[in-house]
Amino acid sequence: MTFSVAVSGASGYAGGEVLRLLASHPNVSVGAITAHSNAGGRLGALQPHLHMFADRLLVETTVENLAGHDVVFLALPHGASAEIAAQLPADTLVIDAGADHRLENPAAWEKFYGSAHAGTWPYGLPELPGARARLVGARRIAVPGCYPTSAQLALVPGFAAGLLEPDDVVIVAASGTSGAGKSAKTHLLGSEVMGSMSAYGVGGGHRHTPEMEQGFSNAAGVPVTVSFTPTLAPMPRGILTTATARVKPGVDAAALRAAWTEAYDGEPFVHVLPEGQWPHTQHVHGSNHAVLQLAFDEHAGRVIVSCVIDNLTKGTAGGAVQSMNIALGLPETTGLTLQGVAP
């Protein structure tokens, strides 16, 4: 069976990555490819690596251009998806790669995004407890943020198993510059980024913080508090997340490792490395895989988990296509069999 697919925001990094993955998907036919300021332009002039679609013209991102497809990917800035999604037919599978429908708490949305909450959709991170079942047959899916994807994959097994304390959770993550989008910004110039790292959104101000707390709290069954510090790394793509939490009394290294390995046993895209081997961002470059390792710091009474993903693939477009496959009843790995690229 072939499904017709429209992709909005196709001139940006996330939309371009969706198209890159769909190009090798055997069950889709790409219809409308849309943009805003770049509408009317030739896709190949903006995304020259997408040879299959190079001669396609970008059309305006309107309900009229997106309607009539089986699947619509919305790769739009936060706050831009909800109005369009609300006007698309109920039987269209709409996959929002923006933030509009991720949060369950309207107050958290209003605090961090400053507008009215648009509602909550099934969450497109299948590896979370119960998430896969909620995606089967869904017609609205919210793709997680890239940082929350890596952070939740890093620590949710411990919370779900009841091994971690709900307070004093610390997440520090380094992301490639593509995570900031494709718009020209002075602090993202090559001369500013090369050979340098910097922190931003420090002090609880990053918008992905409530999304992390939501995922951890749902897994733990109690509220979880997170301190999150993102950093900008001199690389185009990839995330290295270091996540730590205090373990409950009596929990040892063996119990921790058992919880993580059991949680991801049989998962096609999440891999716990053998003891002594630590993940590098290069291991997942261009793939939908997440690779992680954990250690027990007995002196501090904390578990430390290192998790790497490609922010554009597993962190955005790959997670979106994976969720689409589940919703449509296709094999989950369809179109996502790419391995990492090295060196």
Side-chain angles (χ1 to χ4, degrees):
M1 176 175 279
T2 300
F3 298 90
S4 61
V5 176
V7 178
S8 70
S11 60
Y13 287 135
E17 187 77 348
V18 170
L19 285 171
R20 182 179 76 89
L21 297 176
L22 294 181
S24 59
H25 197 296
N27 298 104
V28 304
S29 173
V30 176
I33 299 175
T34 82
H36 177 54
S37 60
N38 290 308
R42 176 177 162 271
L43 183 65
L46 300 164
Q47 305 277 25
H49 63 296
L50 299 176
H51 308 291
M52 180 181 292
F53 307 111
D55 291 330
R56 299 282 293 274
L57 292 181
L58 293 158
V59 298
E60 288 281 353
T61 301
T62 64
V63 173
E64 292 73 22
N65 285 330
L66 296 172
H69 297 83
D70 299 311
V71 182
V72 174
F73 288 92
L74 297 176
L76 303 173
H78 73 80
S81 299
E83 182 178 357
I84 291 176
Q87 300 177 69
L88 291 171
D91 60 351
T92 300
L93 172 54
V94 182
I95 302 176
D96 184 7
D100 291 25
H101 303 95
R102 296 171 184 163
L103 296 183
E104 299 168 1
N105 186 339
W109 170 269
E110 291 166 10
K111 175 181 177 181
F112 282 85
Y113 291 91
S115 60
H117 186 231
T120 308
W121 292 357
Y123 196 64
L125 187 53
E127 294 85 2
L128 296 184
R132 192 172 269 110
R134 290 188 286 272
L135 294 174
V136 175
R139 285 301 174 263
R140 296 291 188 270
I141 295 173
V143 179
C146 52
Y147 283 128
T149 294
S150 60
Q152 290 176 90
L153 292 176
L155 286 184
V156 157
F159 284 116
L163 304 180
L164 305 180
E165 300 285 6
D167 56 353
D168 196 18
V169 177
V170 178
I171 311 289
V172 178
S175 174
T177 56
S178 60
K182 206 171 184 180
S183 298
K185 302 178 181 74
T186 301
H187 72 286
L188 299 178
L189 292 171
S191 56
E192 300 289 334
V193 173
M194 288 187 297
S196 179
M197 286 190 67
S198 59
Y200 65 100
V202 181
H206 196 280
R207 289 168 169 164
H208 284 170
T209 301
E211 189 179 343
M212 294 179 187
E213 292 186 333
Q214 173 179 289
F216 296 148
S217 299
N218 288 342
V222 296
V224 174
T225 303
V226 172
S227 174
F228 171 51
T229 302
T231 65
L232 189 66
M235 57 187 184
R237 52 200 297 166
I239 288 177
L240 170 64
T241 290
T242 303
T244 80
R246 291 189 298 118
V247 303
K248 292 183 176 180
V251 174
D252 60 14
L256 292 168
R257 177 158 288 275
W260 266 259
T261 55
E262 289 171 12
Y264 296 129
D265 181 42
E267 286 291 348
F269 297 118
V270 183
H271 315 280
V272 180
L273 292 173
E275 291 190 67
Q277 184 180 0
W278 288 85
H280 298 204
T281 55
Q282 187 187 57
H283 297 168
V284 295
H285 192 85
S287 82
N288 194 51
H289 295 271
V291 179
L292 55 87
Q293 181 60 279
L294 66 149
F296 179 38
D297 183 341
E298 191 170 359
H299 174 72
R302 303 182 72 89
V303 65
I304 299 95
V305 185
S306 178
C307 178
V308 296
I309 63 169
D310 186 313
N311 59 297
L312 293 179
T313 316
K314 182 59 175 169
T316 309
V321 172
Q322 184 181 353
S323 298
M324 177 195 75
N325 288 339
I326 296 170
L328 295 177
L330 299 171
E332 189 169 330
T333 59
T334 306
L336 297 171
T337 57
L338 290 171
Q339 302 296 293
V341 177

